[in-house]
Amino acid sequence: MVAERFDDAYIPDIIPKDDLDYMDQGGYGARMGWGERPAVLVVDMLEIFASSDHLGRSESSGSTISETKRLLSAAREAELPVFYTRLADDETTLRNHRGIIDEKKDGAFDNVDIDAASTIHPELTPEDGDVVLEKPKLSAFFDTHLANVLRLEGIDTLVIVGLSTSGGVRSSVVDANCHNIRPIVPAECVADRSEISHEVTLFNIDMKFGDVESVSDTVNRISEYQ
């Protein structure tokens, strides 16, 4: 029998019963909930990642951009702070910043389109007042001033969207949790080039680090802050 606290949890069909039993016994999967002051973090919604290849084969991939637009519209109507991340805009800086991670992907910088790798998708262009951070690693928190800004603004809840689920999104979720900021991940607003990575990562996030919920629930919750 699945624990009652799992009623609203993100549990893909591929998750084995033994894993659920382990999470149940460990007390994982409870709802973290929202705090008093939320903001939105858009992780690496870049032209190079928002291609069909990078959006992947998850069920949410076809609507990731449109659902993120919907969420951002609600956030701006509620006057929530919006933060974006992007990569460096020249090959040398990008290579030096990313360092050893690229040893795991041989040839990552061969013929890379620097403009596409550093430009936010045109349908999600930042607006006046949004904050755009250039980050060197996967997490939006690593070697940026994001944590300090959130602390200064009294932000205790971070709605995290973007690409990819198992990379920048997950890293940012874990680091938000480490800073005692409540991570909320609308499932339709994240995607990954690997379906299994997408699904397992969302399950892992929902069990241990934050709350995964539908974009409709997130939008409805945002409206309460108007």
Side-chain angles (χ1 to χ4, degrees), residues 37-42 80-84 131 133 139-141 144-160 172-173 175-183:
R37 180 156 166 73
V40 176
L41 173 64
V42 183
L80 301 189
V82 178
F83 300 86
Y84 286 80
V131 178
L133 304 168
S139 173
F141 288 86
T144 72
H145 59 277
L146 178 58
N148 290 334
V149 174
L150 298 180
R151 190 177 300 112
L152 181 66
E153 296 291 330
I155 293 167
D156 60 3
T157 303
L158 203 55
V159 177
I160 301 177
S172 300
V173 165
D175 279 357
N177 183 291
C178 289
H179 285 281
N180 290 318
I181 296 169
R182 299 165 183 267

Side-chain angles (χ1 to χ4, degrees), residues 17-180:
K17 182 180 181 302
D18 286 350
D19 284 23
L20 284 179
D21 290 343
Y22 170 81
M23 295 298 175
D24 186 13
Q25 293 165 13
Y28 295 104
R31 297 298 87 189
M32 183 176 286
W34 292 56
E36 298 297 322
R37 180 156 166 73
V40 176
L41 173 64
V42 183
V43 178
D44 294 354
M45 278 292 199
L46 307 173
E47 289 187 353
I48 195 170
F49 293 155
S51 66
S52 58
D53 173 62
H54 284 74
L55 280 175
R57 296 178 298 277
S58 66
E59 291 181 2
S60 67
S61 64
S63 60
T64 304
I65 299 297
S66 60
E67 293 294 357
T68 301
K69 287 175 64 177
R70 174 188 172 196
L71 183 139
L72 286 173
S73 177
R76 291 185 172 117
E77 186 173 346
E79 299 184 346
L80 301 189
V82 178
F83 300 86
Y84 286 80
T85 68
R86 69 178 190 88
L87 305 182
D89 60 1
D90 69 88
E91 184 173 350
T92 300
T93 301
L94 186 59
R95 186 190 300 275
N96 290 341
H97 277 187
R98 292 179 65 81
I100 64 170
I101 190 174
D102 292 298
E103 294 181 17
K104 294 298 294 181
K105 185 179 179 183
D106 189 30
F109 287 95
D110 294 346
N111 302 314
V112 65
D113 184 338
I114 296 298
D115 287 339
S118 60
T119 301
I120 295 167
H121 193 279
E123 293 188 46
L124 303 172
T125 300
E127 297 186 358
D128 290 344
D130 295 343
V131 178
V132 181
L133 304 168
E134 185 177 287
K135 68 181 181 70
K137 298 291 184 180
L138 292 175
S139 173
F141 288 86
F142 183 86
D143 206 20
T144 72
H145 59 277
L146 178 58
N148 290 334
V149 174
L150 298 180
R151 190 177 300 112
L152 181 66
E153 296 291 330
I155 293 167
D156 60 3
T157 303
L158 203 55
V159 177
I160 301 177
V161 304
L163 307 171
S164 62
T165 314
S166 62
V169 171
R170 183 185 188 281
S171 300
S172 300
V173 165
V174 172
D175 279 357
N177 183 291
C178 289
H179 285 281
N180 290 318

